[in-house]
Structures are given as structure tokens and as C-alpha cells.
Amino acid sequence: MSATSELSHLFRALKAPAAARALPKLAERARAEEWTYERFAEALLSTEQSSREAHGGEGRIRSARFPARKTLEEFDFTFQRSVKKQVIEHLGQLDFLHARENVVVLGPPGTGKSHLAIALGIRACLAGRRVIFRTATEWVALLADAQRQGRLDDELRRLERYPLLVCDEVGYIPFDPHAANLMFMLVSRRYERASLIVTSNKPFSAWGEIFGDDATAAAMIDRLVHHAEILSLKGDSYRLKDHDLGARPAPQTAERA
Ligand code: ADP
Ligand code: MG
């Protein structure tokens, strides 16, 4: 067997296609530039490793099931002035994941809550962290399902292995007491163990209405915000950016005692 075919056999056996592809060019460069054997080995192996990381990232992004692909780079901070670019960029470094902290994004529809939640989630996937993205309604359905099958505890434990869960759109639909309790369990279970990103179109003062009872809401908010970055987005919907905003009715404010 020639050296070339022996090598391609070895690359296949090691499942290292990126290294196999890179080999001819790297070997040529190594000869021309008189690399040490170590430098050559390092170049070949790191080619394979970065290709795997990139693919792993894509795999994690697919399994997280983000509803769209958004990045922090495409977030327009001149339109959304209520949040500091510096704060978001710091979140993008993902220290909050290591610290097992949460991120809560509040604001009216269209202000970029889901965009930021997705973009941070994608950053986490690319950094090697597993993520699941679901709306609050979907989380409740998933947990209710597990509960019906008598495996709620197993499910919550399984979810703990994900360093980041995103719970989008809390408050779009009010919860019945059962649903509220499941959400509370999810939040409590992750408390100081793993991170959550939660978005809501309702201020905390209206969460009593969402969860049907002020005490449950207060307990949930308490757990959620104890170690958290809270982003309060303001202003008009980005979707109306190029439209005449003068004709829009004034936003309703939630008044609660
Ligand atoms: P929300 O979840 O707050 O209702 P989204 O994040 O879904 O709003 O934003 C609505 C649309 O506008 C999305 O396509 C999003 O990418 C875009 N968008 C919102 N805010 C910004 C922004 N500041 N810069 C760039 N795109 C934005
Ligand atoms: Mg949204």
C-alpha cells in the first residue's frame, strides 16, 4: 500500500476528514517553510479540531430549535437605545453561564427580546454549550407531558444537563394554576445550578396576572432575578421602523396594586 492510500485509510478510520483534506497543502507548506514536526502535527490536528467545533456548534444550534437565526452583531443599538451595547457584549462573553446566572429580557412586542435571547443562545452553542429554546407555552406542554408519563423529575434532571434553557414569551398567554406550577418548578430547579434566559412582554408588576396569583409570581420572580441580568427594552417595535408611528395607539400600561 502506498503512503498516500495508507494515510487516507488512517484518516477514515480516525474519522478525520478535515485533516485528510488539509494534508496535501499543509505538507507542501511545511516542506517549503521547513516546519518542525511538532508544528506540522499541531497544524494538522488543529484543522480537524476547529472543523469539529464548527460542526458541533451547528449541531447544537439545530437541536436547540431556535425559531430564527439572529446574531448580536446584527442587533442595531442605535434603534434600541434602552440597552447598552457594552452590557450585551459582556453577556455575549457568556460569563453568566459559568456563574449559572439568568438573563431576563422585558419589553413590548418587537423590541428585540427574542432576537437577543436567540443571539445569546447561538453564542452558547458555538462555545460548546447545549441549549434548548422553547416558548413558555411549549415548556409547559413539555413538562406537563413528562408529568403525565410519571417522569417529571427525570425530565427536570435531564434538563439540568443543559447549561442554558431559553424560555421565550412569558405572558403572551396566561397560565392556569397547573401550568404556573410547572413553570415555577422549572425556574426553582435551575436556581443556582444552570442558566435561564426568560423573555416577557409584561413587566414584573403584571406577572401576578400571568400566573394567576401574586404569591406564585413573586416567588418565581425572586428565584429568577436573584442572580440575573435584567434588560428592560423600551420603545417602538423594530418591525415598524420604517413606518409612520404617529398613527399608533398609545401602549397600555399594566396597573396593579
Ligand atoms: P420581540 O421578541 O421583542 O417581540 P423580536 O426580537 O422578535 O421582538 O424582533 C422583531 C424583529 O425585529 C426580529 O426580526 C428582530 O430580528 C428585529 N429586531 C428587533 N430589534 C432589533 C434591533 N435593535 N436591531 C436589529 N433587528 C432588530
Ligand atoms: Mg419575541
Side-chain angles (χ1 to χ4, degrees):
M1 211 188 270
S2 75
T4 319
S5 64
E6 175 66 6
L7 274 171
S8 41
H9 164 75
L10 286 168
F11 281 127
R12 265 200 309 281
L14 289 168
K15 297 192 171 56
R21 272 194 306 275
L23 178 69
K25 281 236 162 67
L26 277 180
E28 199 179 306
R29 234 188 109 190
R31 272 189 290 269
E33 296 175 16
E34 299 185 341
W35 289 359
T36 61
Y37 294 117
E38 286 82 0
R39 166 133 191 237
F40 173 71
E42 198 252 336
L44 191 64
L45 292 174
S46 66
T47 304
E48 181 61 35
Q49 196 216 9
S50 30
S51 147
R52 282 187 193 182
E53 266 176 9
H55 281 103
E58 281 307 314
R60 281 185 292 273
I61 289 168
R62 267 195 305 279
S63 24
R65 293 217 252 134
F66 298 105
R69 191 133 184 173
K70 303 285 174 184
T71 61
L72 293 183
E73 289 75 15
E74 66 195 331
F75 194 77
D76 181 354
F77 289 90
T78 56
F79 184 84
Q80 182 48 262
R81 292 181 174 278
S82 50
V83 65
K84 282 210 182 78
K85 188 173 181 189
Q86 204 189 334
V87 171
I88 303 297
E89 272 171 2
H90 184 251
L91 286 172
Q93 306 290 311
L94 306 175
D95 291 348
F96 75 99
L97 286 186
H98 302 123
R100 290 145 205 244
E101 291 171 356
N102 299 326
V103 178
V104 182
V105 194
L106 304 174
T111 47
K113 302 180 298 295
S114 299
H115 186 127
L116 290 175
I118 294 168
L120 289 173
I122 287 181
R123 278 278 174 99
C125 289
L126 294 174
R129 306 307 202 85
R130 293 201 301 158
V131 179
I132 308 180
F133 184 106
R134 298 285 186 279
T135 63
T137 313
E138 288 168 341
W139 277 119
V140 166
L142 184 147
L143 296 175
D145 212 41
Q147 193 173 40
R148 261 193 304 278
Q149 296 168 24
R151 48 172 194 84
L152 179 59
D153 207 57
D154 287 349
E155 184 62 12
L156 289 167
R157 196 167 314 124
R158 183 184 76 86
L159 293 171
E160 260 176 56
R161 294 202 293 269
Y162 287 78
L164 178 61
L165 301 183
V166 183
C167 178
D168 199 26
E169 302 189 346
V170 168
Y172 278 76
I173 300 169
F175 290 127
D176 61 29
H178 179 231
N181 187 45
L182 288 170
M183 271 313 289
F184 180 71
M185 285 174 81
L186 182 68
V187 170
S188 310
R189 198 46 191 256
R190 297 184 72 77
Y191 180 68
E192 295 186 335
R193 289 190 189 148
S195 300
L196 270 172
I197 296 180
V198 174
T199 82
S200 178
N201 59 334
K202 299 267 166 56
F204 284 136
S205 58
W207 280 35
E209 283 163 25
I210 303 170
F211 292 100
D213 129 60
D214 285 344
T216 311
M220 169 119 63
I221 293 166
D222 189 64
R223 296 275 160 94
L224 204 54
V225 307
H226 186 207
H227 305 287
E229 182 75 53
I230 319 270
L231 307 171
S232 286
L233 305 184
K234 296 185 181 66
D236 294 307
S237 171
Y238 190 81
R239 297 188 187 96
L240 301 170
K241 184 163 74 102
D242 301 320
H243 295 65
D244 177 18
L245 299 174
R248 260 176 20 118
Q252 289 190 334
T253 47
E255 293 287 352
R256 283 192 62 80

